[in-house]
Amino acid sequence: MSVLALPVTVRALRNDIAAQFVEAGIESPNAEARDSIAAVLDQSRFWPVDHGDDVLSDELLLAIREAVAKRKRGMPFAYAVGKAAFRHLTLVVDQRVLIPRQETELLIDFVLDATKGRGVVADVGTGSGCIALALATEGHYEHVIATEISREAMAVAQLNANAVLPPQARFSLREGDLLDPLTEEDGITAIVSNPPYLAPSDMPQLPPSVREWEPHQALLSDNDGLAHTLRIVDEAPRVLSRGGLLALEVDSRRALRVAAYTNANGSYRDVQVLRDLTDRDRFVLARAR
């Protein structure tokens, strides 16, 4: 337990937090202490090292200590500090949405490359908004549409949109199940999605940080984890332009099944499976005929 009294320098606070993390059994306690302070203060990760002699206000100390207390209870780091990095963005995250993953950042590269950053794109099941907002801020799209069935997740995505979008960006956040909010659209340049793709039977094997904290609605899908993904494959041709891109993040164990299903659908060409940063099959891309 911390015994520090005010005033407290950043260096003393960092050492105190690291000691608490050691006691709590958290890996890399020194790095996590540094990163916890930096994240809550919205500073670069090495700011606490360079500003060790700074003294923080009572308000900032309280915010940092609240984040540390959450982390010691086992809450994932991003939820504890209330934010996560995704490409060049810093996004609000909490237990209403999944924590953005580094591998999903590759999906943005694929879509930007395939579309040249132009046209109309739709992010299906946006969650925190990470995919849609990365595309909206890095591309030059006429319109970026994000769909989401969870009103709680939509609230987080709207917070992030308000914080990161430039005034000129045309962005729409629409409530509904998967592609249902897109029924009036036609000629969409790209549909991108990181849908729920785990089966309920996968849950016991998941790390506690995922199983016990992240929203199951955003993780789990029926039909051995494939129900949401295959529905997107079936419905996307109705709104995609000719040659439009379908870009999906999938479970590595099911990627070949998704690709085979997409091939058999008959509405796509150039179906391919691409790998993530750990060399696992992670993405299925296809073009509408």
Side-chain angles (χ1 to χ4, degrees):
M1 177 179 292
S2 173
V3 294
L4 290 179
L6 295 177
V8 179
T9 65
V10 170
R11 181 181 298 105
L13 178 64
R14 183 160 53 95
N15 292 337
D16 180 61
I17 293 171
Q20 292 183 60
F21 283 169
V22 168
E23 185 178 351
I26 293 174
E27 294 184 8
S28 305
N30 291 312
E32 280 231 15
R34 175 200 65 205
D35 293 347
S36 297
I37 296 170
V40 173
L41 299 183
D42 199 23
Q43 298 287 349
S44 66
R45 66 183 311 190
F46 289 105
W47 183 94
V49 177
D50 296 333
H51 292 259
D53 293 327
D54 287 13
V55 175
L56 301 178
S57 68
D58 293 2
E59 182 181 5
L60 291 176
L61 279 171
L62 178 61
I64 292 167
R65 284 173 169 152
E66 287 178 347
V68 168
K70 292 175 182 178
R71 185 70 182 104
K72 287 167 62 180
R73 296 201 305 269
M75 182 178 283
F77 178 85
Y79 289 158
V81 300
K83 60 190 71 173
F86 187 78
R87 292 178 72 90
H88 66 289
L89 301 174
T90 299
L91 302 174
V92 171
V93 294
D94 58 32
Q95 288 178 260
R96 293 174 289 180
V97 297
L98 292 182
I99 299 169
R101 263 60 172 188
Q102 188 176 12
E103 60 262 28
T104 304
E105 296 186 9
L106 285 176
L107 198 55
I108 309 302
D109 288 324
F110 298 146
V111 175
L112 287 171
D113 182 63
T115 64
K116 309 304 179 189
R118 304 287 180 177
V120 177
V121 296
D123 172 24
V124 174
T126 197
S128 66
C130 61
I131 292 173
L133 296 173
L135 291 171
T137 52
E138 295 185 48
H140 302 279
Y141 294 102
E142 298 169 22
H143 193 183
V144 175
I145 306 166
T147 77
E148 177 56 57
I149 193 172
S150 165
R151 289 188 177 181
E152 292 185 334
M154 285 184 69
V156 177
Q158 189 62 63
L159 281 174
N160 286 321
N162 294 343
V164 306
L165 285 179
Q168 69 273 18
R170 188 178 175 205
F171 174 82
S172 298
L173 182 59
R174 300 181 183 178
E175 181 181 0
D177 189 19
L178 297 181
L179 277 74
D180 287 352
L182 305 177
T183 54
E184 301 301 317
E185 300 288 335
D186 59 15
I188 292 179
T189 309
I191 288 175
V192 56
S193 184
N194 178 16
Y197 57 61
L198 296 177
S201 59
D202 295 329
M203 288 297 286
Q205 288 76 47
L206 293 177
S209 60
V210 176
R211 184 177 65 246
E212 298 173 7
W213 294 95
E214 301 204 56
H216 290 187
Q217 182 183 23
L219 291 169
L220 302 180
S221 188
D222 293 332
N223 188 19
D224 193 33
L226 293 171
H228 289 78
T229 301
L230 300 188
R231 181 178 154 194
I232 294 170
V233 171
D234 287 339
E235 296 181 5
R238 295 202 290 269
V239 297
L240 278 172
S241 62
R242 184 174 181 179
L245 177 72
L246 176 65
L248 300 170
E249 182 171 330
V250 299
D251 181 71
S252 61
R253 298 162 298 178
R254 300 172 172 99
L256 295 179
R257 292 166 63 187
V258 173
Y261 185 91
T262 306
N263 259 318
N265 179 277
S267 297
Y268 298 95
R269 59 175 172 82
D270 302 332
V271 179
Q272 55 184 322
V273 176
L274 300 177
R275 296 193 167 190
D276 65 15
L277 298 170
T278 62
D279 203 33
R280 297 180 181 179
D281 292 341
R282 181 63 65 189
F283 309 100
V284 174
L285 273 62
R287 293 279 189 175
R289 291 189 181 277

